[in-house]
Amino acid sequence: MTASTGGPPEASGTSRFAEHEVKALLREWGVAVPRGATAASPAEVTAAARGLTPPLVLKAHGPGLVHKSDAGAVRLGLSGPAEAASAADEMLAGLVSRGITPDGFLVEEQAAPGVELIVGVLRDPGFGPVLLTGLGGVWTEVMRDTALCLCPASEADARRMLAALRGAPLLHGHRGRPAVDSEALVGLLLAIGGAGGLWERLDLGEFELNPVIATEEGVVAVDARYLPGMAEPTGPGPEEPRQDRSRRETPGQDFTALFEPRAVAVVGASASRPNFGNMFLEFYKATGVPLVAVHPEADEINGVPTVPTLAEADADYALVAVPAERCAEVMRQAKGVSFVQVMSGGFGEAGAAGLEAELVRAAREAGVRLLGPNCMGVYSPRGGQTFIGGEPGPPGHVALISQSGGLAGEVVRVGERRGLAFSRVATVGNSADVTPAELLGWLGGDEHTSVVGMYLEDPRDGRALFEALMSVRGRLPVVLLVGGRSGQGRRAAASHTGGMVGDGRVWRALADQTGAVLVGSQDDLIGALSFFQSHASRIAPPAGAVANTAREPWTGHGEDGLPSVLVIGPSGGASVLAADVLDAAGLALAALPDETRDVLKALGAGAAGTSPANPLEVPVGPRGRPELVREVIGAIVARRPYPDVVAHVNVQSFFTFGTSADPLYAYAHNLARAQRDLPGARITLVTRNGECAPPGVEDEVRAIAAGAGIPVYRSMEAAAVAVAAAARFIRGA
Ligand code: ADP
Ligand code: MG
């Protein structure tokens, strides 16, 4: 073996580079490694060790020595060349007795003790190269304290990764120890995983520095391991469209005609036995979009005129619901149709990757963009598109991209019930051609869309998704709900770096880097979208300063830099729990300004015998004046602009002594007035225990609130997710 000079070692696919070769490469990249020299045999160790400053370290390398310490192939604290040579004799004898024949030895200077970290790059099957760091050395596996970031990492990403470690206090000088050189650590992370970093130059299968020793003097990588290309994605073969880069050659695809087609064709409706196709014809009749059915014989189906093949249909969009085996044939006749959506399943998701590849090829040949297969359709009240029965909902500004058709239908219908109004909804199923990333990129320039929800199970082209999220970052809020990535998480992980990464953590990293909001449930997806919709005009993209008038959106923070919320509601446990829930969501409840105390007391706010505080306890319910909430909000925000005001009520309390909902409505009306008086503040209403209200009451409260742009939640937990989502977007991270 020869040490690498003049460039990275060529990736050979299977060969492993010796530690000193990887270290030579690191040195070229500006990463500090211990001074050292190699020796082919123990006899050469004395000469190799000459010129090195003790204490010295001796290591053996070769086959079977991936984890050297386990094999007795690391000796520390050697006093000089002579001790290094005798250590090499002993090491060789020990290795041979275990059946290991080393290729050679490395003798190097021993770095001063410090904090040991791990820095590595691994290849996620969906997202490609991912930078990892964490507490390293012997702690790595025990602590499992690591942070991830998709390459390339920015400087801010590198700092965020280090700050995210539970062990971060160790870096800042714990218990009288000096703080480590954090700048050097950031520099190391960027040299490995930043723009132009090592990750770009190597076919990094597994790359790991463990440990990197950090001290106040700097950082030094004392161990380095590189297994080129060992962990390439195992999934798709060359037949699968996933590997097909040609969709990248269609930049700037205009999706307007997908969401606002001049005419729609439906393929697969039956003249005799109603099926999905017939159902869609009925759905479309409600939107009034010009419609044609494709059928070889019938003159009309469901009262819709027919043409014999798709080639005769003059439509921008065709929905195909025929068996999987026949879809490619239909696609070949689709020339002239801009978008063909294949609803049918039975493709890649059912193990028929070949069929899916054939479908994609047919679409390419016909010059058609394919949506799906294995999905539902497109919904756009503005453009006559639907895949849901009944009247189309109101046109609005919320977009949704979903890899599940069924879930998209639920989000649309439940969302509309809760006041959402949609601009564009696309179900993309297997995303064999048009991907969520491509649609998101287009939505970034869509005048009708002000927030995007995404339900994803498989990023398909994860790098493109990363880039699309980056391209809309700070301009367009994206709320991401991720379903289990079955089949994606499987990879051969030879080192513990790979083994420690859960798929969910890569999604978390993606969200942290791009500013996307990751939610955990369909309910929270709808809740966050509804917050962004209601308060769209009050959510300013990250700006430097805090707006100081009630006319502009506020971006105020608490003393500790966290976005600050004013919480108002009835006294007792509910207020305490509200504070806990908001705290857990990363929101701060900044103290009330001193000068409000007297005015609040005069108004009758605050628990008896105590100073008014945040959460502010106000009597709410039959005994409380409904105007109080408005007066209190006005008095406080005139003195300190809280960007978010969360008012909570116990709906049940209004119905304890009577059945009239009027006091509750009055409360909602007063909040609505407060919101109109303060266009810059974001007021949120939490109606707890809504099930105790007579039927229809909650809807009425929601309508009153919606009239003033106030979103309503049934629990503090749901509200906290939504408030935090917007706070995160405003913060820009
Ligand atoms: P392994 O293959 O077992 O991971 P390492 O090269 O990481 O072998 O060595 C094991 C441990 O010895 C390291 O975790 C580190 O604590 C220590 N070590 C190795 N090389 C040096 C060095 N040059 N200076 C200081 N400590 C070292
Ligand atoms: Mg090691």
Side-chain angles (χ1 to χ4, degrees), residues 593-692:
D594 286 338
E595 58 273 28
T596 55
R597 298 256 153 83
D598 293 341
V599 54
L600 290 178
K601 279 206 157 158
L603 286 170
T610 63
S611 267
N614 182 16
L616 181 63
E617 301 189 349
V618 295
V620 179
R623 298 211 186 111
R625 281 191 303 121
E627 303 80 29
L628 183 59
V629 71
R630 176 168 52 84
E631 294 163 3
V632 158
I633 293 173
I636 295 172
V637 298
R639 292 167 176 85
R640 186 198 193 285
Y642 287 86
D644 278 290
V645 177
V646 176
H648 60 109
V649 295
N650 171 13
V651 171
Q652 171 267 327
S653 71
F654 288 88
F655 301 99
T656 306
F657 302 108
T659 53
S660 170
D662 289 343
L664 179 59
Y665 297 155
Y667 184 83
H669 278 299
N670 274 280
L671 273 181
R673 257 188 76 185
Q675 180 66 83
R676 290 192 187 97
D677 291 345
L678 301 163
R682 296 182 294 270
I683 298 181
T684 297
L685 173 58
V686 178
T687 51
R688 296 171 41 248
N689 308 321
E691 57 271 47
C692 294

Side-chain angles (χ1 to χ4, degrees), residues 19 34 57 59 66-69 74 76 108-111 116 137 210-211 213 222-223 225:
E19 182 176 332
V57 177
K59 305 180 186 184
V66 175
H67 299 288
K68 299 178 295 289
S69 308
V74 180
L76 301 170
E108 63 181 12
E109 294 179 353
Q110 181 166 324
E116 298 201 350
N210 187 17
I213 300 182
V222 303
D223 188 16
R225 177 156 48 231

Side-chain angles (χ1 to χ4, degrees), residues 445-537:
D446 176 33
E447 54 167 342
H448 293 302
T449 296
S450 66
V451 59
V452 181
M454 297 182 95
Y455 173 74
L456 302 178
E457 292 177 355
D458 171 351
R460 290 309 286 208
D461 192 343
R463 297 305 294 183
L465 179 63
F466 176 45
E467 283 156 25
L469 285 167
M470 282 305 231
S471 77
V472 302
R473 186 195 172 123
R475 295 191 292 125
L476 180 65
V478 178
V479 185
L480 208 55
L481 174 61
V482 177
R485 296 167 63 202
S486 47
Q488 282 287 306
R490 271 178 253 119
R491 65 187 290 263
S495 74
H496 45 242
T497 311
M500 285 195 311
V501 176
D503 290 332
R505 302 189 52 209
V506 180
W507 287 99
R508 174 87 268 157
L510 177 78
D512 285 345
Q513 276 177 277
T514 60
V517 174
L518 205 55
V519 291
S521 69
Q522 179 185 309
D523 200 49
D524 283 344
L525 173 65
I526 293 171
L529 291 174
S530 114
F531 193 93
F532 279 108
Q533 171 181 277
S534 304
H535 287 316
S537 66

Side-chain angles (χ1 to χ4, degrees), residues 44 51 80 116 120 151 196 209 232 241 249 332 386 396 427 436 495 504 543 554 568 602 625 634 687 690 700 722 726:
E44 291 177 19
E116 298 201 350
C151 298
L209 310 179
E232 274 298 288
E249 287 156 24
R332 283 187 203 100
T386 191
T427 69
S495 74
W554 295 331
I568 300 182
R625 281 191 303 121
T687 51
E700 181 62 21

Side-chain angles (χ1 to χ4, degrees), residues 254-281:
D254 181 359
F255 287 103
T256 310
L258 174 66
F259 297 106
E260 299 171 24
R262 281 177 302 115
V264 168
V266 174
V267 187
S270 165
S272 50
R273 283 192 305 175
N275 59 22
F276 265 114
N278 301 77
M279 185 178 85
F280 272 87
L281 287 176

Side-chain angles (χ1 to χ4, degrees), residues 35 46-54 56 81 109:
R35 285 199 327 128
T46 315
R50 230 168 254 138
L52 299 178
T53 309
L56 302 178
E109 294 179 353

